[in-house]
Amino acid sequence: MKVNSNIKKYIKNMTGTVIGVGIDNKEIIETIDTNNKILVCDLLNSIDISGTTKGKNSKKKKYVKKLRKKYKKKKVNYIIVNSNEINRYLKTFVRDSIYINNTEIYYYMDKTYDIENITKRYKRYNTEIEVIKCDDGNIVKINTSKAKNNFFKDKFYFIVDTLSNIADIIGDILVS
C-alpha cells in the first residue's frame, strides 16, 4: 500500500482539530476538506489550494517555530507532518508538538529518510511509537496521550540536540 492512501485512511477517522505541516499532496488536502468530523484544520507551510468549500483549511503560511504561541497546551487532536519539509525545524518541532498535541502525530516520509532521528526524540517523552512500512515510504504514528513536558528537560534535550547537530556537521566536514 502507498503512503498517501494510508494517510488518507487515517484522515477519514480523525475528529476535532488537525494541523498539517508541509503537506504538498492535493489528494490529502481534499480528504481533510471532505471529512465532516474535522472541526478546524490549519495547514502550515503547505501549498496554496483553491476551491475549499467548507473553510476548514486556513491556507495560512505560518512559521513552525511559533506553534506554542498560536496553540494552547494539549488542544490539538492530530498533527500530520511531511518529514522532508520539517527536517530543518525538527529540534524545536518535537518539543512543541508534544506540548500542543493530545492524541496522535503522523509523520510520513520517503524510504531514504532516517526514522531513528524522529523516534529517538519522541521516546524521551513517554510516547508510544509505531512504524508503518509502505511501498514508497514509511509512516511513523506517535501516540502522545501519556506524554508530558518539563521545562528543564526540554532545555536539556535542546542543548543535546544542538551539540549532536554540531558534531554531525564537523564529522561531515572531516570526512569530505
Side-chain angles (χ1 to χ4, degrees), residues 9-169:
K9 180 179 73 171
Y10 290 127
I11 289 172
K12 289 178 183 177
N13 296 327
M14 291 182 182
T15 59
T17 307
V18 177
I19 296 176
V21 181
I23 298 175
D24 55 356
N25 190 330
K26 290 187 180 184
E27 293 175 0
I28 293 174
I29 295 171
E30 289 172 1
T31 306
I32 292 171
D33 197 33
T34 57
N35 187 349
N36 294 329
K37 296 176 189 172
I38 295 176
L39 302 175
V40 178
C41 178
D42 284 340
L43 299 176
L44 311 177
N45 296 335
S46 299
I47 60 171
D48 289 342
I49 58 172
S50 59
T52 56
T53 56
K54 299 184 183 184
K56 287 189 271 188
N57 299 330
S58 63
K59 296 185 275 186
K60 298 175 188 172
K61 290 205 172 212
K62 300 174 188 163
Y63 295 106
V64 177
K65 289 184 177 181
K66 297 182 180 181
L67 282 177
R68 276 191 188 211
K69 292 179 184 175
K70 172 70 178 160
Y71 302 101
K72 306 246 189 250
K73 184 173 186 175
K74 301 291 182 187
K75 294 294 182 185
V76 176
N77 298 97
Y78 296 96
I79 300 176
I80 305 167
V81 182
N82 183 353
S83 299
N84 299 326
E85 299 292 325
I86 200 72
N87 197 19
R88 178 168 80 165
Y89 304 108
L90 195 60
K91 193 169 38 173
T92 57
F93 184 77
V94 170
R95 143 188 107 197
D96 292 343
S97 65
I98 291 291
Y99 181 80
I100 65 172
N101 191 342
N102 62 9
T103 309
E104 290 178 343
I105 301 171
Y106 294 95
Y107 281 90
Y108 67 95
M109 65 214 58
D110 54 3
K111 286 194 178 249
T112 61
Y113 193 84
D114 184 23
I115 298 173
E116 290 298 319
N117 195 13
I118 293 173
T119 57
K120 77 174 184 180
R121 292 180 187 206
Y122 277 102
K123 283 182 184 177
R124 302 170 179 166
Y125 293 102
N126 191 23
T127 58
E128 298 172 10
I129 299 171
E130 178 184 354
V131 177
I132 301 155
K133 305 278 185 186
C134 298
D135 295 337
D136 58 344
N138 299 313
I139 299 172
V140 179
K141 180 180 173 184
I142 302 165
N143 186 350
T144 61
S145 59
K146 297 177 186 174
K148 294 184 181 180
N149 283 71
N150 184 339
F151 176 78
F152 297 111
K153 185 163 81 169
D154 288 342
K155 294 300 179 188
F156 173 73
Y157 284 128
F158 183 79
I159 293 169
V160 168
D161 291 340
T162 303
L163 293 175
S164 174
N165 289 345
I166 291 171
D168 289 342
I169 290 170

